[in-house]
Amino acid sequence: MAEKKKSKKNNDVPTALEPDRFEIRLSGSGGQGLILAGVILAQAIGVGDGKNVVQTQSYGPEARGGASRADVVISPGEIYYPKTMKLDLLLALTQEACDKYYPDMKEGGTLVIDSNLVTQLPTKKYYGLPFTRLAREEIGHVMVANVIALGAIAELTGIVSPESIKVAVLARAPRGTEDKNTRALELGMKIAREARKG
């Protein structure tokens, strides 16, 4: 994807937001699989649904336990600026991630948190879903919490089709875990539907 030529007036960000641009940040700590989740989401949107997408990632010096985030920028047209500017959706799986990245959200953006791990909220408008607990208790493996979260994001935003996210998840699932990952994805969609009704 071509980057827009930088103007002399401002070398950092475009002068206006691109139309229909949608920005997502998946955030938490290392070991929660958020970098992989970002890759899967971008693949589903770009390859499966044919939209333009850019995925970037950042994580702390610790492989496990340090801060971790994956950003996904989506647009039906060209993406001239690949970095996030104001988030349309923030997924926060830790309190630290919520505290750190909530200020990066745009007004009216969607905040999605792990309700067991994020207990101090900066707003009353959010979706609190127990991703980690459900992964452990319903699927039998805490490592699929990221897939449950992807299902919830797909359902809440409609930014990616259910078919494309399922194909992308299964393409990355280790052999022998396809059933668990499918159930995790479907569970995420189900709890998001219920939360939206509530």
Side-chain angles (χ1 to χ4, degrees):
M1 274 164 267
E3 242 181 276
K4 190 177 183 181
K5 290 182 181 177
K6 293 177 180 177
S7 68
K8 291 179 181 176
K9 189 178 285 186
N10 186 337
N11 289 332
D12 293 322
V13 296
T15 53
L17 288 175
E18 297 150 25
D20 301 321
R21 179 185 174 105
F22 197 88
E23 300 182 357
I24 295 173
R25 176 166 295 161
L26 312 178
S27 63
S29 65
Q32 289 181 310
L34 294 166
I35 302 298
L36 176 59
V39 171
I40 290 170
L41 183 59
Q43 181 179 337
I45 292 167
V47 178
D49 291 343
K51 297 176 185 174
N52 290 323
V53 61
V54 175
Q55 190 269 321
T56 56
Q57 56 204 42
S58 171
Y59 42 88
E62 305 89 350
R64 188 171 293 272
S68 174
R69 83 170 200 235
D71 291 349
V72 181
V73 177
I74 307 128
S75 177
E78 285 192 52
I79 297 173
Y80 296 113
Y81 188 72
K83 296 180 181 179
T84 56
M85 293 175 283
K86 279 294 181 181
L87 303 172
D88 294 276
L89 182 139
L90 172 64
L91 170 72
L93 297 189
T94 64
Q95 185 67 55
E96 180 186 8
C98 185
D99 296 343
K100 185 174 183 179
Y101 298 125
Y102 179 76
D104 295 339
M105 292 185 66
K106 67 169 55 170
E107 188 175 347
T110 302
L111 175 63
V112 183
I113 57 106
D114 187 311
S115 55
N116 291 123
L117 301 177
V118 182
T119 56
Q120 298 175 31
L121 280 301
T123 176
K124 292 182 179 179
K125 294 182 179 180
Y126 66 92
Y127 290 100
L129 303 168
F131 301 115
T132 305
R133 181 178 64 78
L134 288 174
R136 186 187 310 110
E137 295 178 4
E138 298 291 327
I139 309 300
H141 204 304
V142 72
M143 290 305 293
V144 296
N146 60 344
V147 177
I148 298 175
L150 284 176
I153 289 169
E155 181 67 32
L156 290 172
T157 66
I159 200 68
V160 61
S161 67
E163 298 79 13
S164 293
I165 193 68
K166 183 177 180 180
V167 168
V169 165
L170 293 179
R172 297 276 177 168
R175 184 172 294 184
T177 68
E178 293 88 353
D179 180 61
K180 281 186 177 181
N181 279 282
T182 299
R183 285 168 40 221
L185 189 66
E186 292 171 351
L187 179 58
M189 293 177 181
K190 178 186 174 185
I191 61 172
R193 278 194 298 271
E194 291 170 353
R196 197 166 50 190
K197 287 177 185 175

